[in-house]
Amino acid sequence: MSKGLPETRTDTAMSELVPEPRPKPAVPMKPVGINPNLLGYIGIDTIIEQMRKKTMKTGFDFNIMVVGQSGLGKSTLVNTLFKSQVSRKASSWNREEKIPKTVEIKAIGHVIEEGGVKMKLTVIDTPGFGDQINNENCWEPIEKYINEQYEKFLKEEVNIARKKRIPDTRVHCCLYFISPTGHSVPLEWWQWLSGGGHGGSDTPPPLGPSLRPLDLEFMKHLSKVVNIIPVIAKADTMTLEEKSEFKQRVRKELEVNGIEFYPQKEFDEDLEDKTENDKIRQESMPFAVVGSDKEYQVNGKRVLGRKTPWGIIEVENLNHCEFALLRDFVIRTHLQDLKEVTHNIHYETYRAKRLNDNGGLPPVSVDTEEGHGSNP
């Protein structure tokens, strides 16, 4: 018995060290025959109101970039879009002034408020783009600026003690302005026209490309890093038939060259989104717009418009131009989606590449903006 006692203690100690197998948790049975209507009010629906109140307190950021050659009304259109002087003063070169030799990046920030909702709006202009004799690689400063904003956000995001709310300077939307005239008219067309519109056929030969090589190169490079929305500027210079034909030609050239503009087909989340966005892609894009920050009296109402010898072109009249469609698209239906695609697609693509290339940590090479660290 004395020899068996230590063995009994050892067995007891071992049993204490080895945990007993836990029984698998019982899977609850699915309720059967429960009325889909709740038995009483819970309050789940108040989450929308909670989110609204929080957003109204903190506000939100929206950063829009405008790109296109001088004289297409970029600043005027943005001012019309937000019904305030939010863009820089339009460029009107005097003889004494020199056209910038390189593309400049100028960002102007404003806080605008409507219905108690505050929005920090930043308008990024690109004077000098497309204004040179040699415009080779003139999109590179713009692409560099966009990537620098991703780098700033990434640097803040990987900090150990990061801010509660990271300032967002990333470009959410890029309006690319297309000149309203064709850029290449073939010799056959001029010969047909000079022959009195006959030349052996009553049908004119097809016109050349509607987009410049610069337009195509810019959108090819930048569509991979930012949401591009193409717009046809100064649409009042075209007839309705010319506008319709021009839009079709632009869409065809973008498709042939494999250029994806916003809203991209691959990012449609469900059938409802696909149906809505397909209609926009096939009918509205590119938006043919007219901008004006001047008001005129039309039938007893004050309207934004452009005065011509034959009448007033009303900016918000769909029979005159598609400005209202562009405004509704950018602000009233797709603003939040523009921000989400920027964060979830473009920024995540940049972030994954940077972390992989640098072993998981971005280099501390991009300086923060002046006063950046003092933001709450």
Side-chain angles (χ1 to χ4, degrees), residues 254-322:
L254 292 174
E255 180 183 354
V256 168
N257 287 275
I259 297 172
E260 285 277 349
F261 51 82
Y262 180 85
Q264 300 89 336
K265 294 180 181 179
E266 58 185 310
F267 303 149
D268 292 339
E269 294 185 354
D270 52 36
L271 184 59
E272 182 181 357
D273 281 353
K274 185 179 184 303
T275 303
E276 179 184 357
N277 290 336
D278 276 345
K279 185 176 181 181
I280 294 170
R281 286 186 287 258
Q282 296 168 10
E283 298 178 11
S284 300
M285 289 286 186
F287 296 99
V289 299
V290 176
S292 176
D293 51 9
K294 294 182 180 180
E295 287 189 341
Y296 295 94
Q297 193 85 12
V298 177
N299 298 326
K301 296 181 180 179
R302 302 291 294 178
V303 298
L304 290 172
R306 284 170 54 86
K307 189 174 183 179
T308 67
W310 51 86
I312 304 294
I313 299 170
E314 300 175 36
V315 169
E316 297 179 287
N317 188 335
L318 286 176
N319 294 320
H320 294 185
C321 77
E322 297 170 347

Side-chain angles (χ1 to χ4, degrees), residues 1 35 44 53 68 74 103 124 128 133 151 178 196 209 215 252 259 262 277 302 345 369 371:
M1 291 294 293
N35 191 318
I44 299 174
K53 287 183 178 179
K74 301 186 297 295
V103 178
I124 305 105
I133 296 175
E151 184 72 19
I178 300 169
D215 299 330
K252 186 65 176 177
I259 297 172
Y262 180 85
N277 290 336
R302 302 291 294 178
I345 306 297
E369 294 177 316

Side-chain angles (χ1 to χ4, degrees), residues 124-140:
I124 305 105
D125 202 353
T126 56
F129 176 84
D131 294 335
Q132 309 301 319
I133 296 175
N134 182 4
N135 291 301
E136 185 178 3
N137 298 333
C138 66
W139 59 81
E140 289 182 351

Side-chain angles (χ1 to χ4, degrees), residues 5 50 65-66 104 142 146 157 164 168 170 173 178 183 190 192 194 203 241 245 286 304 317 334 370 375:
L5 185 59
Q50 295 173 42
M65 173 180 278
V66 289
E104 301 176 5
I142 299 174
I146 293 172
E157 198 175 46
K164 182 179 179 181
D168 190 0
R170 297 170 297 179
C173 172
I178 300 169
H183 298 286
W190 291 113
W192 178 87
S194 62
T203 304
E241 293 77 12
E245 181 186 0
L304 290 172
N317 188 335
H334 284 70
E370 186 176 351
N375 291 339

Side-chain angles (χ1 to χ4, degrees), residues 73-298:
K74 301 186 297 295
S75 300
T76 302
L77 182 72
V78 174
N79 290 338
T80 311
L81 201 61
F82 294 98
K83 293 191 175 182
S84 56
Q85 296 293 326
V86 295
S87 183
R88 71 184 186 92
K89 186 178 179 181
S91 298
S92 55
W93 306 110
N94 298 324
R95 292 183 178 180
E96 295 77 14
E97 295 178 328
K98 294 183 179 180
I99 298 177
K101 294 182 179 180
T102 57
V103 178
E104 301 176 5
I105 307 292
K106 295 186 177 181
I108 300 178
H110 302 269
V111 175
I112 58 179
E113 183 174 351
E114 183 181 47
V117 179
K118 293 181 180 180
M119 178 173 73
K120 183 182 178 183
L121 173 68
T122 302
V123 178
I124 305 105
D125 202 353
T126 56
F129 176 84
D131 294 335
Q132 309 301 319
I133 296 175
N134 182 4
N135 291 301
E136 185 178 3
N137 298 333
C138 66
W139 59 81
E140 289 182 351
I142 299 174
E143 185 175 14
K144 179 183 177 184
Y145 176 86
I146 293 172
N147 286 330
E148 283 177 351
Q149 308 319 305
Y150 291 148
E151 184 72 19
K152 286 180 182 180
F153 196 89
L154 176 60
K155 182 182 176 183
E156 291 286 353
E157 198 175 46
V158 299
N159 280 341
I160 296 176
R162 60 183 180 181
K163 298 182 178 77
K164 182 179 179 181
R165 187 168 182 262
I166 300 176
D168 190 0
T169 61
R170 297 170 297 179
V171 180
H172 302 124
C173 172
C174 174
L175 295 181
Y176 187 79
F177 286 70
I178 300 169
S179 179
T181 57
H183 298 286
S184 177
V185 180
L187 178 62
E188 293 81 4
W189 197 90
W190 291 113
Q191 290 173 341
W192 178 87
L193 188 63
S194 62
H198 298 292
S201 173
D202 293 334
T203 304
L207 291 172
S210 303
L211 298 172
R212 300 175 300 170
L214 176 59
D215 299 330
L216 296 172
E217 287 299 319
F218 175 88
M219 287 189 273
K220 275 183 183 179
H221 285 83
L222 274 294
S223 62
K224 301 173 184 177
V225 296
V226 70
N227 297 316
I228 291 181
I229 299 176
V231 298
I232 300 172
K234 297 191 173 182
D236 53 328
T237 61
M238 297 184 289
T239 66
L240 294 177
E241 293 77 12
E242 289 171 341
K243 181 180 71 175
S244 177
E245 181 186 0
F246 191 78
K247 285 164 64 80
Q248 291 178 18
R249 285 160 54 196
V250 170
R251 283 197 295 265
K252 186 65 176 177
E253 289 174 37
L254 292 174
E255 180 183 354
V256 168
N257 287 275
I259 297 172
E260 285 277 349
F261 51 82
Y262 180 85
Q264 300 89 336
K265 294 180 181 179
E266 58 185 310
F267 303 149
D268 292 339
E269 294 185 354
D270 52 36
L271 184 59
E272 182 181 357
D273 281 353
K274 185 179 184 303
T275 303
E276 179 184 357
N277 290 336
D278 276 345
K279 185 176 181 181
I280 294 170
R281 286 186 287 258
Q282 296 168 10
E283 298 178 11
S284 300
M285 289 286 186
F287 296 99
V289 299
V290 176
S292 176
D293 51 9
K294 294 182 180 180
E295 287 189 341
Y296 295 94
Q297 193 85 12
V298 177

Side-chain angles (χ1 to χ4, degrees), residues 4-19:
L5 185 59
E7 294 179 0
T8 305
R9 290 177 179 176
T10 303
D11 293 341
T12 305
M14 288 298 293
S15 63
E16 292 175 355
L17 292 174
V18 179

